[in-house]
């Protein structure tokens, strides 16, 4: 399915100056491009062409990728200054038309542009005329050396995300008077010799950094476009097939895959260009890019988690339901982050994922504490109801002494605390979450609830002690009977006042 409609292709595929003659980098944000690029992800190519000025590098790109970069005319001796770029929707490729080499020792500008192309591209096309093949080792030695040096510095030695660069030599105006196998061998020997020299210069062991782990060399020939247009068109179509976006979902190594997502490629190129005078390390750049964007994804995932909590979690739900909805929210927030960060450096992505997990845990902990407070309210209400029921079992008479009542109250309190803890633990998503503070608060409120009852119990205990003292005395004479009746009446009033005052 096409990512954009045909009517949108024109606006997305307009050619633009990326680096000008004064070595300024240009790129303006485009919302339409950003929306489109987000859909592409890393399934695209960055293709750069390198070669001598006036050998048809721009024409070759237009013919292969169906683009419309300006070409040389009778009025213009050199069309490409700096780097021009254009998007090829048919082949899902970002095409970079790099200023051609002037011949001889490369200029500082040519070195910078070659280094930039080698650092940013997944595919390099080296455009040669047939008569340049024999002179390639000397004519383009500086350019190839620059490419080799950049690729050796492009990744860390043990970067698991390192990919080989596809280098396609296109030999133009091929008339079959030369032997193709011999021409390919000549070019390969020259490239290997330069690779060895650069490795020695950088004090790198060539056995630990073999050429084939950095390059995938391939060769193609094209006949003269004017002298044999039919064959030229046919073979250009074959070259276009190499870059067909139909291989985007392929598991083969040749399938399009870039170091950074398309929506970040211009920022990535900008940063590469700013340091192109020094060492360009794509591993560092990829990690730096991930470090910049992953915190944004964390914030997005946290906002997503908060919306889920508001919409899906009921703090007064049953323990199992609360835990299930908390777990679902946690999983969905992490999946939200994983989707956004999937295209970025895995190590940096995982580092920020741990940060997100802690942040989501804190958000869910706050929600859990609200749930525990709700459980505490329920437990306190249940405790009060059971205390009231206990009081009714001892009314109206006889009153219950403290040594019997208080253990019963402690038993009720212990039962309610136990149920509270069981429910709180059942709803807990993280075993590190503690409920001790809430349990202590519940115990304190239960003590406050029965404090008036214990105060009244003191009066009942005193009355019962006096009653026991009155009735335990022997009656010596009949004159003692009125006093006993009077004392008993006073005791009765005291007990009734203590009981009914509850």
């Amino acid at each position: 399915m096409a990512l954009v409609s045909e009517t949108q292709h024109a606006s997305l595929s307009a050619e633009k100056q990326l680096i000008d003659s004064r070595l300024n980098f240009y790129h303006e944000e485009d919302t339409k491009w950003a929306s489109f690029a987000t859909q592409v992800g890393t399934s695209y190519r960055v293709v750069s062409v390198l070669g001598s000025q006036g050998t048809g590098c721009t024409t070759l790109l237009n013919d292969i990728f169906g683009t419309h970069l300006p070409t040389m005319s009778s009025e213009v001796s050199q069309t490409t200054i700096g780097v021009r770029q254009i998007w090829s929707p048919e082949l899902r490729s970002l095409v970079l038309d790099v200023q051609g080499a002037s011949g001889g020792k490369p200029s500082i500008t040519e070195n910078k542009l070659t280094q930039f192309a080698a650092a940013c591209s997944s595919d390099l096309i080296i455009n040669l005329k047939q008569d340049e093949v024999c002179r390639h080792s000397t004519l383009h030695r500086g350019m190839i050396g620059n490419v080799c040096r950049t690729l050796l510095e492009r990744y860390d030695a043990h970067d698991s995300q390192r990919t080989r660069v596809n280098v396609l030599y296109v030999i133009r105006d091929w008339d079959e008077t030369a032997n193709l196998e011999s021409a390919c061998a000549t070019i390969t020997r020259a490239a290997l010799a330069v690779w060895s020299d650069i490795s020695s210069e950088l004090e790198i062991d060539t056995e630990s950094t073999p050429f084939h782990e950095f390059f995938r060399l391939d060769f193609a020939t094209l006949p003269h476009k004017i002298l044999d247009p039919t064959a030229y068109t046919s073979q250009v179509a074959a070259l276009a097939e190499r870059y067909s976006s139909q291989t985007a979902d392929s598991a083969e190594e040749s399938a399009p895959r870039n170091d950074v997502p398309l929506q970040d490629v211009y920022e990535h190129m900008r940063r590469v260009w700013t340091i192109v005078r020094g060492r360009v390390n794509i591993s560092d750049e990829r990690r730096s890019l991930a470090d910049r964007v992953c915190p944004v994804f964390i914030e997005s995932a946290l906002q997503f988690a908060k919306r889920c909590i508001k919409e899906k979690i009921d703090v007064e739900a049953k323990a199992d339901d609360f835990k299930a909805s908390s777990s679902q929210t946690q999983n969905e927030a992490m999946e939200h982050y994983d989707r956004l960060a999937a295209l970025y450096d895995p190590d940096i992505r995982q580092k920020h994922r741990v940060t997100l997990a802690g942040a989501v845990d804190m958000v869910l902990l706050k929600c859990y504490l609200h749930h525990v407070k709700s459980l505490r309210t329920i437990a306190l209400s249940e405790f009060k109801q059971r205390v009231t029921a206990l009081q009714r079992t001892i009314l109206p008479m006889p009153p219950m002494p403290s040594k019997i009542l208080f253990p019963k109250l402690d038993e009720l309190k212990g039962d309610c605390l136990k149920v509270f803890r069981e429910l709180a633990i059942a709803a807990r998503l993280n075993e590190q979450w503690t409920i001790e503070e809430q349990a202590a608060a519940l115990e304190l409120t239960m003590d406050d609830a029965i404090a008036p009852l214990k105060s009244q119990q003191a009066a009942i205990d005193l009355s019962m002690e006096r009653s026991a003292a009155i009735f335990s005395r022997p009656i010596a004479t009949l004159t003692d009977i009125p006093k006993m009746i009077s004392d008993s009446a006073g005791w009765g009033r005291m007990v009734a006042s203590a009981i009914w005052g509850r």
Side-chain angles (χ1 to χ4, degrees), residues 266-320:
Y266 288 113
E267 177 60 24
H268 167 68
M269 288 180 174
R270 186 193 304 276
R271 290 176 60 83
V272 169
W273 183 243
T274 59
I275 60 174
V276 78
R277 293 179 179 84
R279 177 174 176 262
V280 180
N281 185 280
I282 299 302
S283 303
D284 290 342
E285 282 302 302
R286 191 176 57 239
R287 287 191 288 265
S288 176
L289 174 62
D291 257 332
R292 293 196 304 275
V293 300
C294 283
V296 178
F297 299 153
I298 287 176
E299 182 60 29
S300 175
L302 279 177
Q303 294 302 320
F304 178 84
K306 290 176 181 178
R307 289 197 301 272
C308 287
I309 288 173
K310 186 176 181 180
E311 296 170 2
K312 299 180 181 180
I313 299 182
D314 179 6
V315 295
E316 297 183 358
K318 294 181 179 179
D320 291 342

Side-chain angles (χ1 to χ4, degrees), residues 128 132-141 144-145 148 169 183-198 211 217 219:
L128 291 177
E132 290 183 295
V133 172
C134 294
R135 297 180 288 121
H136 175 63
S137 60
T138 55
L139 181 64
H140 291 151
R141 180 178 178 81
I144 299 303
C148 291
Y169 278 88
C184 295
T186 298
I187 294 172
T188 303
R189 281 196 303 271
L192 288 172
V194 173
W195 180 262
S196 179
D197 291 345
I198 297 299
F211 181 84
L217 277 185
F219 301 89

